[in-house]
Amino acid sequence: MSQYFDMGDVTLWNPSNGASRLFRRQVAVFEAELGLGSGIGPMEMDECQIDPVAFAAFVDALLVLHRRTSHAIVLALSEGFTATVVVLAERAGIRVDWERLGGAPDGPREDVQVSAAGMAAPPSGRSWSTELREQAARLERRMPRQ
C-alpha cells in the first residue's frame, strides 16, 4: 500500500504507508516548532493535498531554522526531514533561495552546541547549502512519484 502527496493534479510523492506516517508525524513536530502550518493537508483515502502558498512559507521557515542551528544533535534529527521537504518543494516548483540561505544566517544562531569540540559545521571548503542540496539530490532519486 502507498499514499499520495499531491499538489492539484500532480503527484509529488507516493511513499509507502510507513514512510508517509513517519513523515506526517515529523510534519506535525516541525509545525509546532515553527508555529506555522505546513500546508500539507490531512491524509484522506490515501491522498493528501498540499497548499502551494502555505507550503512555500513552511519550506522557507524550515530552512531558516535549520540554517540558524549549529547543534549536532538538532541537525542530525532534522536533516533527513529537511532534505525530504526540499525535494517536495522542488517537485512543486517552489524556488529555494540557496544563495541567501548559503550565506551567513539571518538573525542570531539558535540551538548552539557548546562543547569541547565546538560547533557543528560542514567539512572545510563546503557550505551548509551544499550538504543539504546533496542530501536532497540523493533522496530525489529514491522518492517515488507513482
Side-chain angles (χ1 to χ4, degrees), residues 63 66-67 98 101-102 122 126-133:
L63 290 171
H66 188 73
R67 179 65 180 109
W98 291 110
L101 292 165
R126 301 189 42 94
S127 73
W128 166 87
S129 61
T130 301
E131 295 291 314
L132 186 58
R133 290 171 89 171

Side-chain angles (χ1 to χ4, degrees), residues 16-33:
S16 68
N17 289 352
S20 173
R21 186 175 50 254
L22 183 59
F23 176 74
R24 287 182 287 112
R25 287 181 176 151
Q26 288 181 315
V27 166
V29 166
F30 283 94
E31 285 176 330
E33 192 67 24

